[in-house]
Amino acid sequence: MTTAAATTIKARQRPGDRIFSSATVIAGSLILAVLAAVAIFLLVESLPAFVAAPDEFSGDVTNFWSYVGPLVFGTIYSAILALLMAVPVAIGIALFISHFAPRRLAQGLGYLVDLLAAVPSVVFGLWGIGVLAPMVQPFYTTLVDWFGWFTLFEGPVSGTGRTIFTVSIVLAVMILPIITAICREIFLQTPLLHEEAALALGATRWEMIRMAVLPFGLPGIISASMLGLGRALGETMAVAMVLSPSPQVIFQLLTSQNSTTIAANIALNFPESHGVGVNILLATGLVLFVVTLLVNMLARVIINSRKAFSGAN
């Protein structure tokens, strides 16, 4: 096609096409602009924290990096524990809804899973304090008695059940509907011919799912998991309500003292902060912003590397 012909076709575009095209460009650019504005704001406001005097920090902390280190550890630790618990359950629920449950039951379960995503985080926090923590505390005691020789289950066990493991369970329940909903839609997009071909070759229902459905949905599973991980990394109120925070790195899962998260630390300390203290909290927010960005970039790299092996191709 010559340049003149392309120009003629472009000139003949309807006004609605031009408006829609411009609107999509503006919307896409707006996302980048907002992201850049947030990053610039956090960076500018965080500069005083990087050069703050040791007396500006509480406890034995001497600089910003020793202050934010345990917070980063607690944030990633609790989020990964939640992801390890939520992903297998979410995949199982999604497979049941998409390939095993009767149609009417599948629709009802799908609505129920979607409804869980609308529950406020404060409600999950109240549930974690009032129901989950007292319920699992005897189980924690048993774990310490049986597996106390292992570092993660060393005592003394928390008397209230409000531990980082309890927080991880709450986070797992919170991210479960997100991962389940995405995996369910991905599994439903599996080409019917792939499933029928596997069954025609003598595969059982599970073998068909293992050979056709799961390879096809693997990039989607990774995307859903990373989306859930981002949700867990940024959760604030539920963690702040359930966790008994401590400004140190603690690997034990069942003790009363636990590494807190960046988001919960900001929520608990921001109302009483002033001066450089506000800049320190904003600097921790910048660290969380960078961690979340790196997680999403890593997920994109993994997804792109797996596309060539996906059943979609």
Side-chain angles (χ1 to χ4, degrees):
M1 182 181 296
T2 63
T3 305
T7 305
T8 302
I9 293 176
K10 186 176 181 179
R12 292 177 181 176
Q13 283 185 342
R14 297 179 180 179
D17 294 335
R18 291 196 298 270
I19 294 174
F20 180 75
S21 176
S22 301
T24 55
V25 172
I26 293 173
S29 302
L30 184 62
I31 294 177
L32 297 177
V34 171
L35 186 65
V38 171
I40 293 173
F41 166 77
L42 290 175
L43 182 60
V44 172
E45 294 294 330
S46 301
L47 292 178
F50 298 138
V51 295
D55 56 359
E56 297 289 348
F57 301 92
S58 58
D60 298 330
V61 179
T62 58
N63 56 65
F64 172 76
W65 300 111
S66 60
Y67 173 79
V68 77
L71 300 178
V72 174
F73 170 80
T75 301
I76 298 177
Y77 195 33
S78 60
I80 290 179
L81 289 174
L83 198 66
L84 291 175
M85 289 183 281
V87 170
V89 178
I91 294 176
I93 296 174
L95 287 173
F96 177 75
I97 293 175
S98 61
H99 286 82
F100 289 94
R103 178 170 298 180
R104 291 185 179 180
L105 179 60
Q107 290 179 348
L109 287 177
Y111 294 146
L112 182 61
V113 170
D114 295 339
L115 183 62
L116 279 176
V119 178
S121 59
V122 175
V123 176
F124 282 108
L126 293 174
W127 171 72
I129 292 176
V131 179
L132 182 62
M135 182 177 65
V136 298
Q137 199 279 332
F139 175 66
Y140 291 168
T141 303
T142 303
L143 282 179
V144 173
D145 292 339
W146 289 0
F147 304 104
W149 51 269
F150 188 52
T151 303
L152 297 181
F153 301 115
E154 286 182 359
V157 65
S158 172
T160 61
R162 297 170 58 179
T163 68
I164 195 168
F165 195 63
T166 304
V167 168
S168 300
I169 296 175
V170 174
L171 291 177
V173 175
M174 294 180 68
I175 66 178
L176 188 63
I178 301 174
I179 303 175
T180 302
I182 297 177
C183 290
R184 179 190 66 206
E185 296 302 321
I186 293 296
F187 295 155
L188 289 173
Q189 299 301 320
T190 305
L192 187 59
L193 291 177
H194 290 192
E195 299 181 5
E196 292 178 346
L199 294 174
L201 291 174
T204 62
R205 179 71 64 88
W206 161 243
E207 290 173 338
M208 179 271 294
I209 290 174
R210 183 169 55 85
M211 293 186 298
V213 178
L214 293 180
F216 175 85
L218 184 58
I221 294 173
I222 297 174
S223 299
S225 301
M226 292 302 103
L227 186 62
L229 179 60
R231 175 76 170 86
L233 289 172
E235 177 52 39
T236 304
M237 289 309 301
V239 178
M241 294 171 67
V242 177
L243 198 63
S244 299
S246 177
Q248 52 186 324
V249 175
I250 301 175
F251 285 92
Q252 287 76 17
L253 298 174
L254 310 177
T255 58
S256 57
Q257 295 296 317
N258 306 273
S259 301
T260 188
T261 66
I262 294 177
N265 181 70
I266 294 175
L268 292 174
N269 295 313
F270 197 85
E272 301 177 356
S273 299
H274 57 86
V276 180
V278 176
N279 300 108
I280 293 174
L281 293 179
L282 290 174
T284 61
L286 175 64
V287 174
L288 179 60
F289 179 85
V290 173
V291 169
T292 307
L293 187 63
L294 291 176
V295 167
N296 285 282
M297 292 173 62
L298 177 62
R300 179 57 55 188
V301 171
I302 296 175
I303 293 170
N304 289 336
S305 66
R306 296 295 303 180
K307 278 184 177 179
F309 307 98
S310 172
N313 297 320

